[in-house]
Amino acid sequence: MDLTSEPCSLKDDSMNLKVTGHSGTQIDEVDNLKAELEKWKERLEKAEKQKDELLLLKLSADEKRHQAQDELRKLMDLEEEQYKESIIKKENQERNLTVVKQQNIELQREIQKLKDDLTAKSSKLSQDFRIKREIPKKKMKFTGMENAESDDTFLNTCCLFHIAAKIPFRLQQRQALLTFEEEDVAQKLIRRGKHTVSLDNEKIDLKAMPVTLETGIKFELHVTISVEKINVSEVPDVPIPDEWIRDKLELNFYKSKRGGEVKDVRYDRRSRTAIITFLKPGVADNCLRCTKHPFCINEKRFMLSVSPSIEKHLEKFQIFSGISKRTILLSGIQEVEEDEESMQDMIEIHFQKPSNDGGEIENIKYVATGTKLAYFEEDTENVA
């Protein structure tokens, strides 16, 4: 390039360089530079765009990072709060558990105390309600048995006894019991309370009170006499297995003249007893015609005792107590010269008169000296 030549003019329109010279080499070089410049300008624009995009991505990432940090902080705070709450709940549960354990201990003590009280009261009630008197025995005689047309017509003998014990009442000295036919009469006299009875030479004041009865009982006794079973006692105690004894008992009553085919044998070594059940009804009755049966075992002869198989059980057992509705107790009777029978007649006459609020008397009992027992029956309330 010639430095003495006239300078070229530059026109920055589209970075066009117009160089004049003697040679075309410099013009090509300028064109190349212009092309290179355009490339760098495009690269710069792309770089600027990428920079802007990166800035936007960075801002978005920073915003998300801040949100994530806030969420993480909230989660950590929530976790810490839940941890504190769990600690508090655990402490409360431990305290409640301690309280519950203490309450359980106290409840166990109370339960044990209630059990002891119940045992004591049950023992007392069992003594209070114990039947201290025996029911009178009645003799029964077997007269015979009707002939049955077939073995199937044999039936068990069943008995039903209705038992109601009389209720005793101890009448003290100078007291009287009056049982009226009408309940209203007795109740009216009790409500009135005091009564004045006129004797031959004087008047006496009496007090009418209700009669509180002791505990009474009633029940049904069911008795069944089997026609298929017999009771065997005094079974010899020999050193052989129980199964062998059962087999020998079965064989003994099967071969017996009065026996028959055996259905079942129940043997109890401790009580030395057995229950023999025959296959056909009526065989048991034949065996019972003789109370002793021979029994051979180990070449020794023994005698077995035979008795009817009787099953007994109670039903409808009831314990009751109350106040007699038609009976009154007269107390406060003064000692007079009249004998017991005359005094009783005067009392009866007085309380039979309607003018004295009285009525028809069913029973009367007066005791001048000592004590006597009066007996009440359920419902009828008769005085014996």
Side-chain angles (χ1 to χ4, degrees), residues 17-268:
L17 296 175
K18 186 179 278 189
V19 181
T20 60
H22 299 282
S23 176
T25 303
Q26 291 180 350
I27 295 173
D28 292 337
E29 185 176 356
V30 171
D31 291 337
N32 291 335
L33 289 173
K34 287 173 65 177
E36 186 72 19
L37 180 61
E38 290 296 329
K39 291 180 181 180
W40 281 108
K41 287 176 70 176
E42 290 177 1
R43 290 178 181 178
L44 179 62
E45 289 178 359
K46 289 181 180 180
E48 291 293 337
K49 287 181 181 181
Q50 291 178 354
K51 179 181 177 182
D52 293 339
E53 291 175 356
L54 290 174
L55 287 174
L56 291 175
L57 291 174
K58 181 176 180 299
L59 291 175
S60 178
D62 289 341
E63 183 178 359
K64 290 182 179 180
R65 181 171 60 82
H66 290 308
Q67 290 178 356
Q69 289 178 348
D70 292 339
E71 293 293 331
L72 179 61
R73 191 178 299 107
K74 290 179 181 179
L75 289 174
M76 293 177 65
D77 294 340
L78 180 61
E79 183 181 4
E80 185 177 359
E81 184 178 355
Q82 291 178 346
Y83 176 74
K84 291 180 180 179
E85 289 179 356
S86 65
I87 295 296
I88 295 174
K89 286 182 179 180
K90 183 178 179 180
E91 293 176 353
N92 291 335
Q93 289 176 352
E94 290 178 352
R95 284 195 296 267
N96 293 335
L97 184 61
T98 304
V99 173
V100 169
K101 287 182 178 179
Q102 186 64 32
Q103 290 177 348
N104 285 338
I105 294 174
E106 293 177 359
L107 287 174
Q108 290 292 337
R109 292 175 181 172
E110 291 182 4
I111 291 172
Q112 187 61 42
K113 183 179 178 182
L114 290 174
K115 286 183 178 179
D116 296 340
D117 293 343
L118 181 60
T119 302
K121 290 181 179 179
S122 299
S123 177
K124 185 177 183 302
L125 287 174
S126 63
Q127 293 179 359
D128 292 341
F129 293 142
R130 187 178 299 166
I131 303 175
K132 298 181 180 180
R133 51 189 180 278
E134 294 184 357
I135 298 172
K137 295 182 178 179
K138 292 185 179 293
K139 293 183 178 180
M140 302 180 68
K141 182 180 180 181
F142 176 74
T143 58
M145 186 173 182
E146 295 182 357
N147 293 325
E149 296 179 358
S150 64
D151 292 341
D152 296 336
T153 58
F154 281 96
L155 299 174
N156 293 335
T157 302
C158 299
C159 304
L160 172 61
F161 301 92
H162 296 274
I163 300 172
K166 292 182 177 180
I167 306 173
F169 181 84
R170 185 169 294 279
L171 197 59
Q172 302 296 330
Q173 182 174 336
R174 293 195 294 277
Q175 287 184 342
L177 281 176
L178 279 76
T179 299
F180 295 89
E181 293 183 356
E182 300 293 334
E183 178 182 325
D184 293 341
V185 176
Q187 297 303 311
K188 187 186 297 182
L189 294 173
I190 291 173
R191 287 193 298 268
R192 183 174 171 180
K194 292 184 179 180
H195 301 270
T196 302
V197 179
S198 298
L199 302 179
D200 292 338
N201 300 323
E202 57 181 328
K203 295 181 179 181
I204 59 174
D205 293 327
L206 306 179
K207 185 178 180 181
M209 299 179 296
V211 179
T212 303
L213 302 177
E214 295 181 2
T215 302
I217 59 168
K218 66 176 182 178
F219 56 90
E220 290 182 357
L221 177 62
H222 293 255
V223 180
T224 302
I225 303 174
S226 176
V227 295
E228 297 179 337
K229 301 177 182 179
I230 60 172
N231 288 334
V232 179
S233 58
E234 299 181 15
V235 179
D237 187 11
V238 291
I240 60 176
D242 293 356
E243 186 177 353
W244 291 9
I245 294 181
R246 284 194 293 268
D247 293 341
K248 290 183 178 296
L249 286 171
E250 179 179 353
L251 185 62
N252 183 81
F253 282 94
Y254 175 71
K255 290 184 175 181
S256 174
K257 294 180 180 180
R258 299 182 182 274
E261 189 173 354
V262 177
K263 181 180 179 181
D264 180 59
V265 178
R266 287 187 292 170
Y267 169 65
D268 183 10

